[in-house]
Amino acid sequence: MPPSDQPVFVGSSASPSVSSASATAAQATPRVSGRPQGAPTSTGPGASPVVPTPTVPGASRVGTRAPVVDHGPRTGNRVALTFDADMTDGMLANLRAGRVRSYANLRILDLLERDQVPATFFLTGKWVQRYPEVTRRIAGNPRFELANHTYGHAAFTADCYDLPRLPVDELAADVAKTFEVIEPYGGRQTRYFRFPGLCHDAAALDALAPLGVTVVDGDVVSGDPFAKAWKPLVRAVLDHVRPGSVVIMHVTEANAAMTDEALPHILAGLRERGLTPAPLSEVLAEG
């Protein structure tokens, strides 16, 4: 596959190539809320001093293929704990019918808050809309970052865990809508994005070019969806975690019922290995 389609880590010399010569200077800086990052707040005679807008973590060059990150630099001792918050139409139907009590595992939040553990949450728009108070709780914690996991957890490629697939021409609008849903909650907003099932191809990455995002996969998969026991999750994480790792877990309770049981043991194992959880943005920037 072409170099621009290969996973990279922040701080490496690899970077996505410009998708066409028509990418202009206006496209060269990511836009969040309709304004280029780093643009001056005022210009012209008599204007106030120029104050650059702080760069949003994960913001990439608009108009280029979205870069893909698996992990941070293998230096230091920090790792990122990330939690996906899936929500599909089928999951919403389960809630309405009473077949499922909850897809929001508050025990995970309780533990992270009690032990003051940083984490990054990849939120679907429909999960946010179903659990606004939980989202507000996440956004209100300065140790938590908010990231994007699509609006309704649909697949962006074929053959992705039997998820319904979105047409390519609808991908960017789906992700943009999710940012719009998350943004009003404030907190530590990012331009990080994770594909459902980690399923993506060149067409999906190109579709995200107008949004200026960084795609985050991960190098440590806990395997918590539909797990029946917690010990295999602990082994899956601790057997593979290294400095700079991005650990993938879920906060969806009914679909990942063992995660809160495994998490204390995972945290203890990280401490034994001299590894410290940190926000995703800090892990990717380390080095």
Side-chain angles (χ1 to χ4, degrees), residues 31-189:
R31 291 180 181 269
V32 179
S33 301
R35 192 164 171 276
Q37 295 306 297
T41 55
S42 59
T43 57
S48 301
V50 172
V51 179
T53 302
T55 301
V56 176
S60 64
R61 282 183 52 178
V62 170
T64 64
R65 176 178 290 182
V68 181
V69 175
D70 283 325
H71 56 80
R74 299 301 192 185
T75 57
N77 67 338
R78 298 197 287 184
V79 299
L81 303 181
T82 69
F83 295 87
D84 292 356
D86 308 346
M87 185 62 74
T88 65
D89 288 339
M91 293 166 71
L92 287 171
N94 287 338
L95 289 169
R96 288 192 296 268
R99 290 188 291 268
V100 167
R101 185 181 66 85
S102 175
Y103 289 113
N105 195 331
L106 301 184
R107 290 183 296 275
I108 290 175
L109 295 184
D110 291 342
L111 175 59
L112 295 174
E113 290 170 348
R114 185 193 72 205
D115 291 356
Q116 301 183 359
V117 178
T120 301
F121 292 84
F122 283 83
L123 308 174
T124 56
K126 291 184 178 181
W127 191 93
V128 169
Q129 292 171 333
R130 181 64 178 80
Y131 297 110
E133 291 302 320
V134 182
T135 305
R136 198 166 289 114
R137 178 177 172 182
I138 292 170
N141 189 318
R143 295 181 180 85
F144 295 162
E145 291 180 322
L146 289 73
N148 189 318
H149 195 38
T150 75
Y151 183 67
H153 207 255
F156 281 38
T157 64
D159 302 320
C160 183
Y161 300 98
D162 296 322
L163 293 172
R165 185 181 182 183
L166 279 177
V168 171
D169 59 0
E170 296 179 15
L171 303 186
D174 180 275
V175 177
K177 180 178 181 179
T178 308
F179 279 122
E180 291 172 0
V181 170
I182 297 172
E183 189 177 53
Y185 289 87
R188 297 181 65 166
Q189 302 269 333

Side-chain angles (χ1 to χ4, degrees), residues 9-12 71-80 219 241-246 273-287:
F9 62 83
V10 170
S12 75
H71 56 80
R74 299 301 192 185
T75 57
N77 67 338
R78 298 197 287 184
V79 299
D219 64 320
V241 71
R242 299 168 55 193
S245 281
V246 176
R273 288 160 175 76
L275 298 172
T276 302
L280 177 63
S281 62
E282 296 178 15
V283 171
L284 298 183
E286 183 141 33

Side-chain angles (χ1 to χ4, degrees), residues 203-286:
L205 294 174
D206 286 340
L208 300 183
L211 301 180
V213 301
T214 294
V215 174
V216 179
D217 283 350
D219 64 320
V220 179
V221 179
S222 68
D224 60 347
F226 306 105
K228 302 299 183 184
W230 61 266
K231 288 184 179 180
L233 311 185
V234 177
R235 289 195 297 270
V237 173
L238 298 182
D239 285 353
H240 297 94
V241 71
R242 299 168 55 193
S245 281
V246 176
V247 181
I248 304 171
M249 293 179 280
H250 291 74
V251 70
T252 42
E253 191 166 15
N255 282 4
M258 295 290 108
T259 311
D260 61 275
E261 300 239 16
L263 187 55
H265 303 279
I266 291 171
L267 293 174
L270 293 177
R271 287 192 296 269
E272 291 172 359
R273 288 160 175 76
L275 298 172
T276 302
L280 177 63
S281 62
E282 296 178 15
V283 171
L284 298 183
E286 183 141 33

